[in-house]
Amino acid sequence: MTRLTIGLLLASVFAASWALAQNDPRHSGYQDMGPDLRRMQDDDTANPAMLFVQAGQALWQEGAGTTNKACADCHQDAAKSMKGVAARYPAIPPGANQPVDLEGRINLCRTERQQAPALEPESPDLLGLTAYVALQSRGQPIAPADDPRLVPFRTKGADLYKSRQGQLNLSCSNCHDDNAGKKLAGATIPQGHPTGYPIYRLEWQTLGALKRRLRNCLAGMRAEAWDWDDPQYVALELYLMDRARGMTLDAPAVRP
């Protein structure tokens, strides 16, 4: 079966799942796009994010660090071991007391299992591995972990989502709840559901993680972006994933 055929079959799965959920008032950025961009995402031979997936697949098999272990040495076939993983993160890893996002979990494996340096935020290697892992959950429903330890972090994320900040005194909710579907500078304001990350944004001309998009939003509010390792990003992502619970993951996605 060719990748084009697989892409078209997956597109049919997405369409069917959205048809079943037609009474759900939520919709993703994919549904806000025009037919040309949808076709670009649906066809793996045209989706530019797949270049990062291919790089991530190679890294999955490549030994790293002082242990010279590869991801595949522990997790074997990613299509089986990583299925559904991206739909469950952020989560609290074993032995920890606070959540990490998917990129953070990959870096924990790097530093603890491979004894290798953590990958830099938005680096090609981290994006490639994240995209490859996320691909294994494509078509799965977003299913945040029902871990009671996550409640205070998710509550913090909800507060951040609703809090006004920056020189424009705006909140995430002002755009993605109050004005979703309207136009801003010719582009449709989405509802802000994180169904496709990491995404290839045409504006960026590259792949980017949700954290990069959140930093863009902070800049749009004329607020100072938090440091890359600030736990507020993870708290906000926790809330956003819970807000999108049950929606279909379509990563790695294409967006305008």
Side-chain angles (χ1 to χ4, degrees), residues 83-136:
K83 185 175 183 180
V85 169
R88 297 195 299 268
Y89 268 78
I92 298 178
N97 56 15
Q98 62 181 22
V100 296
D101 55 18
L102 185 57
E103 298 100 291
R105 189 67 187 91
I106 289 170
N107 266 332
L108 279 177
C109 283
R110 289 270 303 177
T111 57
E112 294 180 357
R113 303 298 181 186
Q114 296 176 306
Q115 296 295 301
L119 298 170
E120 291 295 322
E122 296 299 294
S123 63
D125 285 355
L126 184 55
L127 288 170
L129 279 169
T130 306
Y132 180 60
V133 171
L135 177 68
Q136 314 312 318

Side-chain angles (χ1 to χ4, degrees), residues 22-237:
Q22 57 185 329
N23 293 324
D24 190 341
R26 301 174 302 172
H27 48 86
S28 71
Y30 175 90
Q31 292 166 287
D32 289 330
M33 296 193 304
D36 289 341
L37 287 183
R38 289 191 192 189
R39 281 193 291 269
M40 180 183 291
Q41 178 173 319
D42 293 342
D43 181 356
D44 282 349
T45 65
N47 183 342
M50 296 307 293
L51 295 172
F52 290 82
V53 169
Q54 291 175 10
Q57 184 175 15
L59 287 169
W60 183 264
Q61 302 290 341
E62 186 177 295
T66 58
T67 65
N68 196 35
K69 281 186 173 293
C71 305
D73 290 332
C74 290
H75 301 291
Q76 283 82 49
D77 183 1
K80 296 178 180 178
S81 62
M82 294 293 109
K83 185 175 183 180
V85 169
R88 297 195 299 268
Y89 268 78
I92 298 178
N97 56 15
Q98 62 181 22
V100 296
D101 55 18
L102 185 57
E103 298 100 291
R105 189 67 187 91
I106 289 170
N107 266 332
L108 279 177
C109 283
R110 289 270 303 177
T111 57
E112 294 180 357
R113 303 298 181 186
Q114 296 176 306
Q115 296 295 301
L119 298 170
E120 291 295 322
E122 296 299 294
S123 63
D125 285 355
L126 184 55
L127 288 170
L129 279 169
T130 306
Y132 180 60
V133 171
L135 177 68
Q136 314 312 318
S137 299
R138 188 164 64 175
Q140 295 285 309
I142 291 175
D146 291 322
D147 184 342
R149 297 175 298 168
L150 292 173
V151 171
F153 300 100
R154 191 174 286 124
T155 300
K156 172 66 174 176
D159 290 341
L160 288 168
Y161 182 82
K162 298 167 186 174
S163 296
R164 293 177 180 269
Q165 55 187 308
Q167 293 178 336
L168 297 184
N169 194 34
L170 292 173
S171 69
C172 308
S173 180
N174 289 145
C175 282
H176 300 297
D177 289 342
D178 301 342
N179 291 290
K182 297 179 182 178
K183 296 290 185 180
L184 179 64
T188 300
I189 300 174
Q191 291 182 349
H193 299 299
T195 61
Y197 287 89
I199 59 172
Y200 189 99
R201 289 200 75 197
L202 301 186
E203 176 187 349
W204 298 337
Q205 287 294 291
T206 190
L207 198 72
L210 177 59
K211 194 174 291 184
R212 178 174 179 176
R213 187 68 190 95
L214 295 177
R215 289 172 66 89
N216 281 179
C217 284
L218 288 168
M221 296 174 183
R222 304 294 187 267
E224 185 174 349
W226 311 316
D227 291 338
W228 283 100
D229 59 353
D230 195 309
Q232 291 182 106
Y233 289 117
V234 178
L236 187 52
E237 183 175 349

